[in-house]
Amino acid sequence: ETPDLEDADDLSLELAGLNLGRRDFVKAGMAVGAAGALAGCAGLPGGGNADDSNGSAPGHAVAPGEHDEYYGFWSAGHSGEIRIVGVPSMRELMRIPVFNYEAARGYGYDDGTRRMLEDAGGYTWGDSHHPNLSETDGKYDGKYLFVNDKANGRVARVNRRYFETDAITNVPNVQAVHGCCVQSPDTDYLFANSEFRVPLPNDGRDVNDPGKYASVFTALDPESMDVLWQVEVDGNLDIVDTDKDGRWAIASAYNDEEGVEVEGMTRDDRDYVKAFDVPAIQGAVDAGEFEEVNGVPVVDGTRESALNEGDDPIVRYIPTPKSPHCVEVTPDGTYAMVAGKLSPTVSIIDIERLASEPDPAKTIVGQPKVGLGPLHTTFDDRGQAYTSLFIDSQVVKWDIETAVNSPKGSEDAILGKIDVHYNPGHIQAVQAMSTEPTGDWLVALNKLSKDRFLPVGPIHPDNDQLIYIGEDAADETGGMELVADEPVYPEPHDAIFAHRDKIEPATVWDPADYEGEKEYVTEDKARIDRVDDSTVHVYASSKRSEYGPREFSVREGDEVTLTVTNVEGSRDIIHGLAIPEYDVNLALAPKDTREVTFTADRPGVYWIYCTYFCSALHLEMRSRMIVEPR
Ligand code: CUK
Ligand code: CUA
C-alpha cells in the first residue's frame, strides 16, 4: 500500500520549498510499501520486521512471571490519560486517567476526583502530550510525573506512590499548553508553554487584532502546583526543555509572523527559538517588574523588550529555519537540538554560548542535514543522537561531535537510517531526558500504522516500534534493529522511561495519607447517620465478600454521601462498589477509602455490588440500598 503522500505531506513539502515533484512522492511511497510487504515473510518472533536487522538485538520478550527492566510512561493524546508500558516487552501494564473520566478505576466518579476535575475547568477530556519525571541531581527521583493538556491549557501531576493524578492546574492566560518540562537538574520549577496566541486577557478585546495576541511561558511550583509567573513572548510557543544547570529553559516556537492562517504562519524562512534565563526572570518578578494579569505576574519577554535590554536580555531570540518543532537537550547538557518539519536539518545550540555570545545566531554551532521532516531527537550514552523523520518515515542516527565539526548542511555526521512504519512523531531512548541515558532501547511513536495490523475499521491504531540501539555497526542502519511492532490506542505523543529501581509504587494504601479528609471505616464503625431531614451519610466497610452494612434505607430525595473503606491489607484484593441506575461506581484498592455523593431521587430497591472479581463469593458480595418513598 502506498501511503497517501499526495495530500498532507505534499503541502508541507511545498511549504518547505523543497521542490520535490509528485513523482518523488510516489517513489518514496513505493519504497515504504515494499518494505512493509517484506515484513510479512521476515518471521521475527514478536512480529518484528527483519529487513533492516543485523541480528544482534537481544530478545524483547519477557518470560511469564518475569518483570520488565524499565517502566515506560506514555502520554495518550486526546484519550487524556497516561499509560504505563513495560520495556522491552511493550506490554501495557496500567493506565492512569488524568484529564479523562475512567470507569475501571472509578476516576471522576468519587467525590475527590470528580471535584478535582470540576475545579480544573469541568472538562471531560484533555490532550496529554508530554510526560515528565521529576529529577534530583539530574536523575529521575520517582517522586512525580507531570503532563500537559494541550486542549484546555492545563498541567497535571501524578503521584509517585499511588500512580494517581493528585493535582490539575488550569493555567490562566493560556488557551493550549503544549510544551511541558521539569527543570533540570532539580525539579524546582515545572514549565508550560502556551501554544495558541490569544489576547491577554482573552475577554473579547483585541479579537480582530492578531498582532496583539500573545503566548506565554509559564512557571509553576511543582509542590503546590501554583502558577508562579509568566513571560509574554512573540510567536507561538511549542516544545520546551531545560539545560542541566538550572539556568536556561529553551523553547521552540513557530509563527513569528503572527499569522492566523497557515500561509501567514509559514511565510518567513525563519522563526525564533526562545531561551529563557530563569534566574533572571525570577529576579525581575522579585523586583516587581511585571504586569499582573488574572492574578499572575506577567513579565515582558517580547523581542522588542529583549532588544532594549541589550546584551543581557531575560529572553534570547535565536533565529532558526522556519517552524522548529522539537527542543531536546543532550544528557550532558552541552547542546539543545532544534528541528522542525519544514527544514531537513537539526540546529545544534551550544548552551554555554547562550550566556556569552552577544549574537544569538552564533549560538548555533552545527546544522547537519538529516532527512525530510525531522521532528524529535533523542540520545544514547555514546554521544549519538537519533532524530525522527516524519516525511521519510525513518529514524536517523548521527554523531553529535561530527555534526558540530562539519559544515552546516553536511551529511557527514549520519551513521545510518532505519525505516519505521509510518510517519514517526516523538522518538525516545531509555532515560534520555535525564543525565543517565542507558543507550539500549528506543521507541518510535509512529502516527500511522496503515497496513501493519489486521484492519479494524477506518480508525487505525498508532504503531509504537521498539528499536534496539545498544550496538553500533557500520551498516545501513548504523546498528539499529527493529524488534517489535506495538499497536496503540490513539494517540500517544511522547513517552519517558525509567529503570524499575527508580520507581517505588505502593501496593496498599496508607490511611495516614488521607487522614483528616476521609474516615477509615472499619467494620465496627459501619453506620448510617441521618444528618438532617434531607441528608444522610452512610459509612461502609468492604472486604471479601461482604459490605457492612448489608443494607441501608434512605428517603426519596435525600442527598446521600457514601464513605466506603476497603479494609483488606492484601495486595491486589480490590473491591468495587456500584449502584445500578444511580451511576455510582467506586474502585477501592486495599486500605483505600472513597466517597460519593448523590441524590436518591427514585424509590425502590437497588442492589449494591462489587465490580472487581475478588473471591469465589464475588457475585454474592452485595448490599441493598432501599429508597423509601416520601
Ligand atoms: S508534539 Cu506530537 S509529535 Cu505535542 Cu511533542 Cu511533536
Ligand atoms: Cu469484592 Cu468482588
Side-chain angles (χ1 to χ4, degrees):
E1 188 197 344
T2 304
D4 310 312
L5 291 163
E6 283 81 4
D7 27 40
D9 298 340
D10 204 6
L11 173 70
S12 28
L13 283 178
E14 253 169 39
L15 290 166
L18 291 171
N19 294 323
L20 284 185
R22 173 127 332 169
R23 228 162 6 127
D24 300 291
F25 285 109
V26 175
K27 265 198 293 180
M30 280 168 47
V32 171
L38 271 179
C41 41
L44 258 199
N49 171 357
D51 55 340
D52 289 316
S53 154
N54 59 17
S56 64
H60 82 97
V62 172
E66 303 274 310
H67 291 179
D68 279 290
E69 189 170 4
Y70 301 108
Y71 283 94
F73 299 93
W74 258 244
S75 64
H78 43 295
S79 304
E81 63 198 9
I82 289 287
R83 304 191 188 135
I84 308 176
V85 174
V87 174
S89 77
M90 300 293 278
R91 296 177 294 191
E92 185 180 292
L93 305 174
M94 184 43 72
R95 297 178 172 194
I96 305 173
V98 180
F99 301 112
N100 54 319
Y101 287 72
E102 206 279 327
R105 296 183 60 143
Y107 183 79
Y109 293 81
D110 72 290
D111 288 352
T113 55
R114 181 186 296 171
R115 206 176 301 127
M116 180 172 68
L117 288 162
E118 276 168 9
D119 289 350
Y123 311 111
T124 59
W125 70 289
D127 191 0
S128 66
H129 279 221
H130 300 112
N132 283 274
L133 293 168
S134 56
E135 296 178 14
T136 299
D137 200 20
K139 303 172 173 66
Y140 298 141
D141 59 17
K143 219 172 155 188
Y144 297 122
L145 180 145
F146 301 95
V147 68
N148 69 301
D149 169 16
K150 165 157 168 156
N152 303 301
R154 299 180 292 177
V155 283
R157 184 178 68 192
V158 172
N159 155 312
R160 61 171 164 168
R161 284 173 52 80
Y162 300 117
F163 281 47
E164 279 201 0
T165 305
D166 70 1
I168 306 175
T169 299
N170 195 351
V171 182
N173 304 328
V174 312
Q175 194 152 83
V177 166
H178 192 204
C180 172
C181 78
V182 297
Q183 189 184 41
S184 259
D186 300 305
T187 303
D188 293 330
Y189 296 95
L190 169 66
F191 296 121
N193 270 352
S194 83
E195 182 177 357
F196 302 155
R197 301 172 67 251
V198 288
L200 273 189
N202 191 17
D203 58 0
R205 74 184 70 174
D206 300 332
V207 286
N208 294 316
D209 192 355
K212 286 198 181 147
Y213 294 10
S215 59
V216 294
F217 169 73
T218 301
L220 296 98
D221 178 333
E223 293 297 332
S224 67
M225 290 295 279
D226 289 339
V227 173
L228 298 171
W229 41 257
Q230 296 180 317
V231 182
E232 179 184 342
V233 296
D234 299 325
N236 293 39
L237 289 170
D238 199 356
I239 309 290
V240 60
D241 198 4
T242 74
D243 70 4
K244 306 292 184 189
D245 295 312
R247 177 152 184 197
W248 298 100
I250 303 161
S252 59
Y254 60 95
N255 190 24
D256 208 66
E257 302 87 340
E258 304 189 334
V260 286
E261 287 169 4
V262 61
E263 296 81 6
M265 293 186 189
T266 51
R267 188 191 61 219
D268 298 343
D269 282 335
R270 63 182 40 189
D271 277 293
Y272 291 87
V273 161
K274 279 86 179 165
F276 296 91
D277 187 339
V278 174
I281 294 164
Q282 184 65 59
V285 172
D286 294 344
E289 294 159 15
F290 58 80
E291 199 182 316
E292 198 173 297
V293 184
N294 286 322
V296 181
V298 181
V299 177
D300 185 358
T302 56
R303 188 139 50 101
E304 206 174 86
S305 83
L307 292 173
N308 291 339
E309 286 164 51
D311 282 352
D312 212 11
I314 56 172
V315 183
R316 306 212 71 188
Y317 280 67
I318 303 152
T320 60
K322 72 162 78 172
S323 299
H325 177 59
C326 80
V327 179
E328 280 105 8
V329 171
T330 53
D332 63 3
T334 307
Y335 303 115
M337 306 304 182
V338 176
K341 42 217 181 286
L342 302 186
S343 158
T345 60
V346 176
S347 298
I348 304 175
I349 296 172
D350 183 334
I351 291 175
E352 217 175 72
R353 290 196 188 198
L354 286 173
S356 59
E357 175 57 67
D359 178 1
K362 291 197 177 138
T363 62
I364 296 178
V365 294
Q367 212 163 51
K369 186 172 171 192
V370 293
L372 297 185
L375 276 188
H376 290 284
T377 297
T378 190
F379 310 99
D380 64 21
D381 55 344
R382 309 184 295 281
Q384 299 169 139
Y386 302 77
T387 301
S388 59
L389 301 172
F390 182 82
I391 295 172
D392 280 342
S393 280
Q394 288 182 316
V395 170
V396 53
K397 173 178 176 178
W398 50 282
D399 185 76
I400 297 170
E401 283 309 320
T402 308
V404 169
N405 293 320
S406 309
K408 289 182 183 172
S410 114
E411 297 182 7
D412 292 353
I414 292 179
L415 299 167
K417 293 184 178 183
I418 190 168
D419 290 338
V420 294
H421 314 84
Y422 305 92
N423 303 86
H426 277 272
I427 56 175
Q428 278 291 354
V430 173
Q431 294 192 170
M433 304 286 283
S434 75
T435 57
E436 302 179 301
T438 60
D440 45 1
W441 299 104
L442 178 151
V443 174
L445 288 83
N446 304 308
K447 296 300 177 194
L448 308 187
S449 60
K450 290 196 170 277
D451 53 359
R452 298 294 278 190
F453 306 111
L454 279 177
V456 288
I459 292 191
H460 286 53
D462 291 13
N463 184 17
D464 289 350
Q465 289 186 305
L466 182 70
I467 295 171
Y468 183 66
I469 55 166
E471 209 70 54
D472 298 321
D475 57 13
E476 210 178 296
T477 69
M480 290 185 283
E481 197 171 331
L482 177 57
V483 295
D485 270 23
E486 207 59 42
V488 281
Y489 198 65
E491 178 190 281
H493 275 253
D494 197 3
I496 190 163
F497 316 111
H499 192 272
R500 61 189 182 199
D501 291 347
K502 294 182 181 293
I503 308 286
E504 282 179 76
T507 51
V508 172
W509 272 82
D510 180 354
D513 285 339
Y514 55 83
E515 208 183 309
E517 289 164 42
K518 287 174 290 189
E519 178 177 329
Y520 185 85
V521 186
T522 52
E523 286 164 86
D524 57 319
K525 291 275 175 51
R527 64 195 186 275
I528 298 138
D529 279 357
R530 175 156 287 280
V531 179
D532 60 35
D533 189 49
S534 59
T535 317
V536 176
H537 199 144
V538 179
Y539 296 85
S541 63
S542 60
K543 66 170 192 187
R544 281 162 288 177
S545 300
E546 59 179 338
Y547 296 104
R550 295 192 175 184
E551 64 166 64
F552 60 86
S553 294
V554 298
R555 289 205 295 271
E556 181 184 353
D558 278 344
E559 185 187 271
V560 181
T561 297
L562 193 53
T563 300
V564 198
T565 298
N566 176 354
V567 298
E568 307 254 11
S570 306
R571 181 175 184 161
D572 201 16
I573 301 300
I574 305 161
H575 298 294
L577 186 148
I579 307 182
E581 298 170 32
Y582 270 97
D583 205 27
V584 168
N585 167 41
L586 302 178
L588 301 152
K591 300 220 175 293
D592 192 12
T593 298
R594 298 280 155 165
E595 280 178 352
V596 61
T597 301
F598 57 95
T599 304
D601 52 6
R602 278 148 298 151
V605 172
Y606 297 89
W607 282 105
I608 295 174
Y609 79 99
C610 175
T611 46
Y612 271 83
F613 208 116
C614 53
S615 77
L617 292 175
H618 158 74
L619 294 178
E620 290 81 357
M621 183 169 172
R622 278 194 274 166
S623 173
R624 269 188 312 159
M625 176 173 79
I626 293 159
V627 182
E628 295 164 350
R630 282 259 176 197

